Amino acid sequence: MHVKRCFINIIQFPYIYCSILDCMEVLSKGVHRAMVPVDSQMESGSSGGVELVESASGYQMLTQLDLVRFLRDHASDSDELELNTILSRSVRDLGANTEQIYSITDRTTLLDAIKCLKSAMLNAVPIVEASDVGADDHRQLINGRCRKLIGTFSATDLRGCYINTLKSWLGISALAFTQHIKNSPLETPSMSSRKELVTCDVESPLSEVLEKAVTKHVHRVWVVDEKCLLVGVVSLTDVIRVIRHALISSSSSSPQQ
């Protein structure tokens, strides 16, 4: 299966017919999930994008994780040389080592953490160790670069919490809240994996990031140095955007087969 034919033509997820590059275009813009036509009457080789298709018998949700899982699984195919080349690139090459990383500290309350997510329209933030000199404003987002990474707070952590119970926890730290949720006897194994601190280093290949994102069911992997100091982040949005751009560039620079 040639990579150009795999990604540019209409190919099949289970019961889903859509151009993968069209799906990647949408999901590379930060959209976490999209509705795609199921078993439509589009002819093979057409490009219908992810718009509504009248001939489709129905629609199915396609998520960023679905797409990344698909890419990971096909990277092992012997014919997918271009995809393997892309996935062998390091996190450093992708520019994931950034100067500004929005974070909260281990002293930020749950209430302020929620406000930070809402005001910055973020789905998750890293939790870093507070400065000893006391210069941090724990009510606001700070630059967590080169701070010790100790946790993650995400909107997912709030899912399933009773509102009255949540109100009683608003004064505790977001870190304590995530630890409480992690140790809750009502927690399922899948919830535990999403709260695990998932990291890589700047020399990690993109294939490793994909593997960790899929197996740990996370939408971002924090980039740390040898002392576990935060230096960057790789999101599924970043991964999909980079792969799509590389595939399009490769396709336009070589003859179609």
Side-chain angles (χ1 to χ4, degrees):
M1 179 172 54
H2 195 277
V3 69
K4 293 186 181 65
R5 295 179 61 186
C6 170
F7 288 97
I8 296 179
N9 291 337
I10 301 298
I11 76 168
Q12 182 180 351
F13 277 87
Y15 311 112
I16 298 178
Y17 294 79
C18 194
S19 165
I20 294 303
L21 281 178
D22 285 335
C23 291
M24 292 177 77
E25 180 182 8
V26 174
L27 298 177
S28 68
K29 296 177 179 178
V31 177
H32 285 192
R33 55 193 63 83
M35 299 297 292
V36 295
V38 175
D39 192 22
S40 76
Q41 301 300 313
M42 293 184 296
E43 295 182 359
S44 178
S46 64
S47 180
V50 294
E51 294 87 0
L52 296 180
V53 179
E54 292 183 1
S55 59
S57 60
Y59 297 88
Q60 187 165 322
M61 188 75 72
L62 178 68
T63 69
Q64 287 185 328
L65 270 175
D66 292 331
L67 182 56
V68 168
R69 185 180 295 108
F70 175 86
L71 297 173
R72 181 204 61 174
D73 293 345
H74 280 277
S76 60
D77 294 347
S78 59
D79 292 336
E80 304 293 1
L81 298 179
E82 291 170 277
L83 181 56
N84 275 304
T85 298
I86 297 169
L87 296 183
S88 67
R89 296 171 61 184
S90 72
V91 167
R92 185 191 300 276
D93 293 337
L94 300 180
N97 189 339
T98 58
E99 294 298 323
Q100 178 73 34
I101 311 169
Y102 291 117
S103 312
I104 59 174
T105 77
D106 54 355
R107 301 178 190 173
T108 301
T109 66
L110 177 59
L111 176 60
D112 288 328
I114 295 172
K115 288 181 178 179
C116 287
L117 288 185
K118 181 179 179 181
S119 63
M121 293 186 291
L122 297 172
N123 291 312
V125 287
I127 304 174
V128 298
E129 199 171 68
S131 171
D132 291 334
V133 298
D136 296 328
D137 184 349
H138 307 296
R139 297 169 299 176
Q140 305 291 333
L141 290 170
I142 66 167
N143 186 3
R145 180 174 172 81
C146 292
R147 297 284 190 93
K148 185 174 180 58
L149 178 67
I150 55 179
T152 300
F153 175 70
S154 73
T156 305
D157 296 327
L158 303 172
R159 187 179 300 166
C161 292
Y162 292 108
I163 186 65
N164 289 334
T165 304
L166 183 61
K167 286 180 179 179
S168 68
W169 288 335
L170 292 178
I172 68 173
S173 71
L175 178 63
F177 173 75
T178 59
Q179 293 172 339
H180 176 84
I181 293 298
K182 184 175 182 179
N183 295 325
S184 170
L186 299 178
E187 179 184 347
T188 63
S190 61
M191 292 173 63
S192 178
S193 63
R194 288 197 294 269
K195 296 183 184 68
E196 184 177 341
L197 193 58
V198 183
T199 65
C200 66
D201 60 57
V202 293
E203 301 304 332
S204 297
L206 187 54
S207 58
E208 178 182 322
V209 174
L210 261 67
E211 181 65 27
K212 288 185 175 182
V214 170
T215 57
K216 303 300 183 182
H217 200 80
V218 295
H219 283 82
R220 62 200 55 78
V221 176
W222 306 117
V223 185
V224 297
D225 64 12
E226 64 279 0
K227 297 181 180 179
C228 202
L229 300 182
L230 184 64
V231 295
V233 58
V234 182
S235 68
L236 294 190
T237 299
D238 298 327
V239 170
I240 295 171
R241 182 175 61 249
V242 168
I243 294 176
R244 180 179 183 275
H245 180 268
L247 288 172
I248 291 176
S249 298
S250 174
S251 174
S252 60
S253 62
S254 36
Q256 296 292 321
Q257 297 185 11

